[in-house]
Amino acid sequence: MKHVSLNGLIGGVLIALLLMVAALSLFWTPFDPMKLSFTARLAAPGELHLLGTDEFGRDVLSRLMVGARASVWIGCLTVGFAVITGTLIGLISGYARGWIDGLIMAVNNALLAFPGILLALGLLAVFGANQYGIIFALGIAYTPSMARVVRGAVLSLREREFVEASRVMGNGEVFTMFRHILPNCLAPITVLATSMFGWAILSESALSFLGLGVPPPAPTWGNMLAAGRPFIEQAVWLGLFPGLCIALTLLGINLLGDALRDKLDPRMRGLK
C-alpha cells in the first residue's frame, strides 16, 4: 500500500468538500439565496436556517454555497489563464535564450516588482469590477510567477541529452519544446498552480471585501464578509461563517500543495 501523507489526506478532503458544495449549489440550495425576507431579518442559526440569515433575511448557508461556486469558478479560470500564458512565455524565453529571453524577462521582472493585489487593482480599473474583470486582472498578475518558474525549469532541461537527441533526429524546435521539454516541467507547474488557486480565492475575497469584486447581490465570500462588518456585534455569524470558509479552503489548498511538492519534487522525496 502506498504511503499517503496526512497533509495530502486532509487537504484532499477539504478541497473535495469545496468542490462538492460548489457542484451541489448548481442544482440545490436550502433556500433561494437571492430571496428577501424582512420577517426573518438577522435570524440566529437555528433549525430552519442552520447558519442564520443576513440583514435582508437571506439564508446564509445558501449564499455560502453559491459563494463557493463563484470562488471555484474564478479560481479555476484565473489559474488556467496564468498557467497557459505563463507556461508559453516561460517556454519561449528559456528555450530561445539571447535577446528574446532578455526582453521577455525584463518585462516579466517589471511586473513582478508590483505586489499581485496592487497590480490587480490597477488592471481592474481597465477591465471593470466584475467576475471576468477579476479573472483577467488576477490572471495577468499571476502570469509572471508562472513564467519565471517554467523558464527556470526549461533552462535546466534544454541542454539535457534527450533534447540534443531530438535535435539530432531532425525534430523542429517547436516539436522539441512541447514534446520533450514541456512534459518535464509539469511537476513545478502543478505545485505552483495549486498554490495559485489559493492565491486567487484569497485575492478575490479581498477585492470583493473592498467592493471591487463581483457586484452584489451575487454572493461571494468576500462581499458577505464586507456586508456583515456593520453587524459584527449584533450578528457575529455574518462574518464568522464566510471567514471560516475562506480559512478552511486556504488550509486545504496549502496542505494539498505541500503534499504535491513532497510527491513531485525528487529533492523533497530524498529527505523523507
Side-chain angles (χ1 to χ4, degrees):
M1 180 178 178
K2 293 184 177 180
H3 174 72
V4 179
S5 71
L6 182 61
N7 283 357
L9 181 61
I10 296 174
V13 168
L14 289 174
I15 299 306
L17 285 174
L18 171 68
L19 297 177
M20 288 172 58
V21 169
L24 180 62
S25 70
L26 289 169
F27 310 103
W28 176 84
T29 54
F31 295 88
D32 184 347
M34 302 294 187
K35 185 178 180 181
L36 308 182
S37 176
F38 290 100
T39 59
R41 182 175 179 271
L42 296 178
E47 293 184 3
L48 182 59
H49 299 281
L50 295 179
L51 300 184
T53 62
D54 65 8
E55 69 274 23
F56 297 111
R58 298 172 297 193
D59 183 63
V60 171
L61 176 58
S62 300
R63 291 178 65 77
L64 286 174
M65 292 175 67
V66 176
R69 185 176 73 208
S71 294
V72 170
W73 178 247
I74 291 173
C76 287
L77 289 185
T78 297
V79 172
F81 180 93
V83 167
I84 293 172
T85 309
T87 298
L88 288 175
I89 293 172
L91 271 174
I92 295 170
S93 178
Y95 194 82
R97 303 282 294 272
W99 68 269
I100 296 177
D101 180 34
L103 177 61
I104 291 175
M105 282 300 104
V107 176
N108 200 72
N109 292 336
L111 292 175
L112 281 174
F114 291 91
I117 191 70
L118 182 61
L119 181 58
L121 283 171
L123 291 170
L124 278 174
V126 178
F127 297 125
N130 55 68
Q131 179 172 281
Y132 291 101
I134 291 175
I135 291 168
F136 282 115
L138 292 178
I140 292 172
Y142 296 151
T143 292
S145 298
M146 181 61 70
R148 177 172 278 278
V149 168
V150 173
R151 172 183 176 270
V154 172
L155 287 175
S156 67
L157 291 167
R158 70 186 304 276
E159 306 300 335
R160 298 282 293 273
E161 291 80 2
F162 61 88
V163 176
E164 290 294 333
S166 178
R167 295 191 185 112
V168 170
M169 292 172 62
N171 294 325
E173 304 292 352
V174 174
F175 179 87
T176 300
M177 278 196 300
F178 286 95
R179 178 64 180 86
H180 297 290
I181 293 182
L182 180 58
N184 288 282
C185 298
L186 291 181
I189 290 174
T190 301
V191 174
L192 183 56
T194 304
S195 299
M196 277 186 175
F197 186 69
W199 302 348
I201 290 177
L202 183 60
S203 296
E204 182 278 323
S205 299
L207 292 170
S208 295
F209 185 81
L210 295 173
L212 298 172
V214 179
T220 67
W221 293 341
N223 65 28
M224 289 178 70
L225 269 177
R229 184 173 50 181
F231 306 96
I232 191 64
E233 295 183 359
Q234 183 181 0
V236 67
W237 59 87
L238 294 183
L240 176 64
F241 293 125
L244 279 175
C245 287
I246 295 171
L248 289 174
T249 298
L250 293 177
L251 175 64
I253 292 170
N254 287 333
L255 291 176
L256 187 59
D258 286 344
L260 285 173
R261 182 197 61 198
D262 295 345
K263 182 74 173 177
L264 297 174
D265 190 340
R267 293 171 298 179
M268 297 302 297
R269 288 201 299 267
L271 296 175
K272 300 298 181 182

